[in-house]
Amino acid sequence: MKESCKRLEYVHDQLGEIIRPGISTYEINKIGDRLIREQGGIPNFLNYNGYPASICVSVNDEVVHGIPKKERLLEEGDIVSLDAGLIYKGYHSDAARTYPVGKISEEHQKLIDVTRQSFFEGIKFAREGNHLHDISNAIDDYVTSFGFGIVQDLVGHGIGTSLHEDPQIPNFRQKKRGLKLRAGMTLAIEPMINLGGWEVEWLDDDWTVVTQDGTYSAHYENTILITTGDPEILTLNSYEK
Ligand code: MF3
Ligand code: CO
């Protein structure tokens, strides 16, 4: 898992450098696919339930699973979420980042920052002996304090020799405590946060998830390892921590 995640971290770092007005979402996917393969990885999203690309590129009101297109060019003021994953020696990794394109509004930067920080608020509770939904509740408390909408139709997940394993990891408040966390578990925690309401809908392409009210949405995800102490963030560079 660590080797797989390290390679994905490199892919994300490289992709972060190419985001600029004028680049197409198609080009971002093409470069991401190449980076994954150069690392000895296999893109795990490509052909997953028929998904047609290696990187999900979701712009503005697109929440997740945007399909890269030649004619979709990023513009100054956009925000773009890149979700990427790979398989290395049979082990999956999964991570997402949201970037500003050129200069963006203050409220959209706030949305990106709160989404990212909500992940860190959540994993404060990602410790052996705690319960899964301690993470969910912490994310909810933090995001709700800013009045943003938390996507409920999609959730985080266990990850390992498959991309999606049990348990599901909601980013919103839960009534039950959820399972007990144990050292050795690997989890993909991925808050998806909307500037407006939490409601989402699917476009006719059957993939792209968009906000119902048209407000912008941000996504932040890492694959983490539960230990007997602090959790390890496997898809994050030491300088970003
Ligand atoms: N990162 C996404 C997730 O966590 C995976 C993309 S789904 C795919 O579930 F179909 F596009 F691969
Ligand atoms: Co995921």
Side-chain angles (χ1 to χ4, degrees):
M1 288 300 290
K2 285 183 179 175
E3 287 186 36
S4 178
C5 289
K6 215 170 120 113
R7 282 162 176 78
L8 181 59
E9 165 188 307
Y10 172 79
V11 170
H12 263 300
D13 285 347
Q14 298 295 309
L15 287 178
E17 302 286 325
I18 66 167
I19 299 305
R20 56 171 173 78
I23 193 168
S24 70
T25 58
Y26 175 90
E27 186 70 15
I28 295 167
N29 173 65
K30 200 171 97 179
I31 294 168
D33 182 274
R34 192 174 68 220
L35 287 164
I36 289 171
R37 294 178 199 278
E38 279 172 5
Q39 294 290 298
I42 301 166
N44 48 3
F45 298 177
L46 183 62
N47 298 323
Y48 181 89
N49 291 334
Y51 184 75
S54 299
I55 315 287
C56 300
V57 187
S58 309
V59 186
N60 296 344
D61 64 319
E62 296 171 356
V63 179
V64 286
H65 304 167
I67 298 176
K69 287 189 186 64
K70 279 188 176 157
E71 62 276 15
R72 181 66 148 122
L73 306 182
L74 297 184
E75 292 174 17
E76 176 108 17
D78 286 346
I79 67 172
V80 61
S81 300
L82 306 185
D83 192 350
L86 61 83
I87 311 168
Y88 185 76
K89 294 186 178 172
Y91 288 90
H92 289 252
S93 49
D94 188 5
R97 308 278 182 262
T98 300
Y99 296 106
V101 182
K103 194 170 163 38
I104 64 168
S105 73
E106 252 173 57
E107 64 173 358
H108 290 146
Q109 188 59 53
K110 185 80 187 168
L111 173 69
I112 291 173
D113 295 344
V114 167
T115 302
R116 181 179 185 279
Q117 186 58 31
S118 73
F119 164 87
F120 289 95
E121 296 299 321
I123 66 158
K124 286 178 184 168
F125 294 87
R127 307 179 73 86
E128 179 162 83
N130 281 356
H131 289 257
L132 186 69
H133 295 162
D134 297 339
I135 300 172
S136 310
N137 296 341
I139 293 172
D140 189 323
D141 285 345
Y142 182 72
V143 172
T144 304
S145 75
F146 293 90
F148 296 147
I150 304 170
V151 174
Q152 304 204 6
D153 299 63
L154 300 122
V155 295
H157 49 94
I159 179 168
T161 50
S162 301
L163 173 59
H164 293 134
E165 298 182 359
D166 285 341
Q168 294 199 4
I169 310 174
N171 299 300
F172 48 96
R173 180 158 288 282
Q174 300 295 305
K175 292 203 178 73
K176 296 183 177 164
R177 300 180 76 188
L179 59 78
K180 209 170 192 177
L181 298 174
R182 294 183 53 186
M185 290 178 169
T186 44
L187 308 172
I189 297 177
E190 51 178 319
M192 288 150 269
I193 309 299
N194 304 341
L195 189 61
W198 60 271
E199 298 91 344
V200 298
E201 50 192 40
W202 271 256
L203 295 185
D204 286 340
D205 63 18
D206 282 342
W207 278 106
T208 313
V209 180
V210 296
T211 61
Q212 211 172 76
D213 61 12
T215 58
Y216 286 15
S217 184
H219 186 198
Y220 187 81
E221 174 180 27
N222 284 304
T223 299
I224 71 159
L225 169 68
I226 304 295
T227 75
T228 50
D230 292 337
E232 285 184 44
I233 308 174
L234 303 182
T235 48
L236 195 59
N237 256 318
S238 44
Y239 68 72
E240 221 201 305
K241 289 168 194 165

